[in-house]
Structures are given as C-alpha cells and as structure tokens.
Amino acid sequence: MGRIIGIDLGTTNSVVSALENGEAVVLPNREGSRITPSMVGFAENGEPFVGHQAKRQAILNPERTVFGTKRLMGRRFDDPIIQNLMPRLPFTIVENKNGDAWVSVAGKNLSPQEVSAHILGKLKSTAEDYFGEEVAQAVITVPANFDDAQRQATKEAGRLAGLEVLRIVNEPTAAALAYGLNKREEAVVGVFDLGGGTFDISILRLKHGVFEVLSTCGDNTLGGDDFDQTILQALIDKFYQEAGIDITGDKMAIQRLREAAEAAKCELSTISETNINLPFLAVGSSGPKHFNTTLSRSKLNDLVYGLVQRLHEPCRQALQDAGLRRNELDEVLLVGGMTRMPLVREQVQQIFDVSLQRSVNPDEVVAMGAAIQSGIIGGEVREVVLLDVTPISLGIRVVGNRFSRIIPRNTPIPARETKVFTTTENNQDLVSITVLQGENELADRNKPLGTFNLTGIPQAAAGTPRIEVAFDIDTDGILNVSAQDMKTKKSQSIVITNAHGLSSEEFYTAKDRVQATVY
Ligand code: AMP
C-alpha cells in the first residue's frame, strides 16, 4: 500500500498531514505554510490558482475568487441555505441542470466538487513535494453532521483530484483521535468544533484505545463566516452614516471590508480594541472617502450575541443523546479557528461547566487525526478502535407525508436496520420508496436522498403484502437501501450515490481540467 495522507478540507482553510515514523506531521505547502486557504482564484482564461495565491488577489478579483465552497457541496440550488448565502457572495451561484448549486466563474459553470478538487489537488502536490513520491490515497474529514449527499460530494471531489478516498472521517472524531491516541486513562471528552462555516459538537468515551462516539450534533449553517458577515454589515452601516455612501453594490469595496472585518475579529481575540483603516474605500461627490474606525471587543461581543446563543441548543441535544448531564464531561477540546474567540470560550465553559483542553492546535488537530486514521487503515497504528455514529436519522416517506425512521441519529456505524411496510391500496403492484434524511416528523421537511420502485408485487388486499426495507450504512456513513417483497423474495436496491452527483460526462470533463492543473 502506498502512502496515505490525511486531509482536513475546511471551509476557510485546509491542512494536509501524514504519518512519519508513527507520528502525525503537518506538511508545509510550497509557500512554506502549514495551512492552505480554501480559496480558488481563476485567471481571465479560466486557469485556476489555489490557496495563498488566490487569497492575495481576492480584493482585485472578487468575482473570480471562489471561497467557502464547502457550504455548497451536495446542496440543491433551491436549498434555503444557498438562497440565503447568495446575496452575500461576490461570485455567482447558478443552478445546474439537475437542480444542484454550482458556481459560475470566468465564463464557466463549475460544480463545488470541482472547486474543492483544486484545493485537494494542491494538498496532494504538497504531500508529493514533501515525500518526493506520488500520493494517490487519502482520508478526508467532514463535519459530523454532513449528510449523505455532502459526504458523497466530498468523495467525488477526491476522485476528481486523483485521490482514492479510503475513508471519510468526522472532524470531531479525528480531533479526538489525535488528542487521545497516547492517553490510556478513561475519559469522556467533548469536541467543540467551530470553524469557518460549520459548528459540530461530539461527545466521545475514550477507553484503552477505544474511541466511542456517544453522540454528535451541530449546525451546518453556523461558522466564522457568519461572524464576519455580521461585522461587515455593521461596518457598511457605519460607513453609510459617516460618508453617506452605500457601498453594498461595490464588490471590491465589500471584499476589502470583509477582509478587514475578519482581521478585526481575529485581533480582538487577543486585544480589547482595534483600528480599521481603509483609505479610498469609495468615491463620493466630494472626492475619495476613507474609512477609519475602531471596534472594541465588547462591541464585537454585542454584535455576535445572537450567533453565539445558537451554540447552546446543539450542545444540550448532544448531552441528552449521550445520556449525560452538563458537568459530566472530563474535558472539552476546542477545535476550529473560531474557538480562539474569548466569547466562544466563555460560552463553552458555561455550557459544560468544565475545564477547556488547550494543548491541541485547533487548526491542525483534525488533519492529524485524519493521518492517524490513515495509519489505522494502513496497519501502522494498532490497538485503536474507532466507533462512530450516524449524525442524522435516516428513513422513508410513508402515507400521510410522515417520516418513518429506520436508522435513528447517533446509531453506531456500520449499521443495518430493517423495517416491514405494506401497501395502502388493493392490488397495488408497485411501491415507491423515497429515502430521506432528517429529524422532522413530516417527510417533506427532510432531505430526499433518492427514490426507487419495487415492482411486481402479487395482487393482494391493501395491507397484506409484507415489504421489508433494509438500510445499510457503512463506515463512511454512506447508505445502501434495499426493499424486498417477502412473499416473492423479489428485491430492488440502490446505493445512495448520485442523488446530487455529477453525470459521467460532467465528471470526466472536470477531472481532465483538474488533473491538467499544476499547483
Ligand atoms: P477553520 O475552518 O477551523 O480554519 O476556522 C476558520 C475560522 O476561524 C475563520 O472564520 C477565521 O476567521 C476564524 N479564526 C481564525 N483565527 C481566529 C482568531 N484568532 N480569533 C477569532 N477567530 C479566528
């Protein structure tokens, strides 16, 4: 088996790690940085460039710089999250012919998988430079509450970049693995992961090399970008008050303000007040207007109060699902750049009433966990067992638009569950199975993953046929569903693969483009 790399494919930043002499090391990219911004810029001729190079030119080229693609992965164009995101982005999101959310950039429509594949391609070549050999296999992490379509899209991005994705691991589980690998004592650990685009909380029991996830919960729509957006809006309002100019439509000015907002947020993690100084931000009737203002930590805390409150409910749910009270955790690991913010730390302490574990590097620990997982697969790391769970309930639609759960959330994976259903009409010879993922009792409020028919059911009165529906979920959290008429033994099955995937033509066109790129 060749070398396997571990990748944290983040909303804002990505990191690649690998085992070297049994230790997970973070690999520096060609620019000498251990972190690669998850940004892809496109030249006028469509040629992509990735990471710091893309970030540096984002202000000059806002419409041709794509960031935060992780938020688009595996989502439909009409998804409210996408609709909400669109007005905030300097680049354009379009609907592809299947109804999925793609980006339109430099005259081309690109899938989020293809954009992510460029980031993965850069990380792959970072590892190849480091080891001086080709690398073709990877373990990639995803937020624990990523649904099936998002996991599939991540695997597809890997394939586009020429990487065989051996395992998809949940980010908090990876973090716990990196943190707890050499600890032998028993502990119940919370992993609180607030990154650029998502929030995850997982609770694990660590016991003699067994990492058992007890519960996981989160919010796929809450991350540092939302904090930046809130600060950005306040700055736009302030500039309007001071200069009388609404710069909402000026993409370049907005990009400058967005970067200043993020920088101020980060600085306010260590100092109590910072200056925002942007000369020539706009031109008014009386000439150029400069923007010079201050932001204090307490003002920042007021602005983001509503966002921080949203951290509470997933934590309460995770505790309840794990059957634990708030002070029963031994420690909480902080993961993701946003956990550097003092207000976030205060909330974590308040929620769990526990000491915070500061020994891990919040930016690198997830990728290191992915590298350790690659060592488990490759046989280099022994005596470690990882027991993960499925984060979101899976089931099917039944009569009356109801959702019938077959695998409830927080079921350990891999898992197989079956449930018997029947017909609702006399002589019904076909049942249509709609596979759903979500927590709502109403079927149409959950995410459809795929539909298939079981045909040829022998004539019978309503309610007499017995149709067994089986759900199999593998260690990547990916689902296979089958239905069998128990009388005739006839069955139909689907692997929930391409509900949102690329067609084979789209795949090969994108793959050619990605693999022709030199990073
Ligand atoms: P990640 O996805 O883990 O790389 O987290 C990136 C997010 O963390 C971005 O929203 C960053 O702005 C934010 N971040 C990074 N450093 C800090 C800091 N010192 N204080 C507050 N937020 C930070």
Side-chain angles (χ1 to χ4, degrees), residues 11-13 195-196 224-225 228 262 265-266 269 336-338 340-341:
T11 310
T12 321
N13 294 305
D225 289 358
D228 300 349
E262 190 196 353
K265 174 190 74 176
C266 294
S269 291
M338 278 303 300
R340 294 205 173 91
M341 184 172 184

Side-chain angles (χ1 to χ4, degrees), residues 13 126 145 210 237 242 292 356 423 476 487 504:
N13 294 305
T126 293
N145 60 0
V210 177
D237 295 346
E242 285 178 5
N292 198 346
L356 303 180
T423 52
D476 290 335
K487 188 164 175 198
S504 97

Side-chain angles (χ1 to χ4, degrees), residues 278-415:
L278 296 168
F280 302 101
L281 187 61
V283 180
S285 51
S286 58
K289 296 280 177 198
H290 313 302
F291 188 37
N292 198 346
T293 188
T294 57
L295 185 64
S296 67
R297 189 187 286 175
S298 69
K299 173 73 182 162
L300 170 67
N301 291 353
D302 289 346
L303 285 173
V304 300
Y305 178 80
L307 293 173
V308 166
Q309 290 310 304
R310 284 170 56 194
L311 298 168
H312 286 246
E313 177 52 26
C315 296
R316 192 201 59 74
Q317 186 70 58
L319 280 170
Q320 184 182 325
D321 288 353
L324 295 169
R325 283 193 299 271
R326 60 189 278 272
N327 54 2
E328 284 182 323
L329 303 189
D330 294 304
E331 51 200 356
V332 173
L333 297 189
L334 297 176
V335 181
M338 278 303 300
T339 59
R340 294 205 173 91
M341 184 172 184
L343 183 65
V344 170
R345 291 181 172 223
E346 261 170 44
Q347 297 294 313
V348 181
Q349 228 149 1
Q350 231 181 57
I351 296 170
F352 295 106
D353 188 18
V354 73
S355 70
L356 303 180
Q357 181 46 250
R358 290 163 199 266
S359 67
V360 299
N361 179 332
D363 300 320
E364 297 182 349
V365 66
V366 170
M368 289 167 73
I372 293 166
Q373 175 65 47
S374 76
I376 298 173
I377 296 171
E380 262 179 273
V381 177
R382 289 168 210 274
E383 295 173 10
V384 173
V385 181
L386 199 59
L387 302 172
D388 216 330
V389 297
T390 179
I392 312 172
S393 300
L394 293 154
I396 65 170
R397 178 200 299 273
V398 292
V399 71
N401 187 31
R402 277 179 308 117
F403 177 50
S404 174
R405 274 183 182 70
I406 296 184
I407 300 188
R409 71 162 184 270
N410 289 324
T411 301
I413 54 172

Side-chain angles (χ1 to χ4, degrees), residues 464-479:
T464 38
R466 288 169 58 75
I467 293 150
E468 184 185 73
V469 176
F471 275 42
D472 274 287
I473 183 157
D474 69 14
T475 38
D476 290 335
I478 288 171
L479 182 66

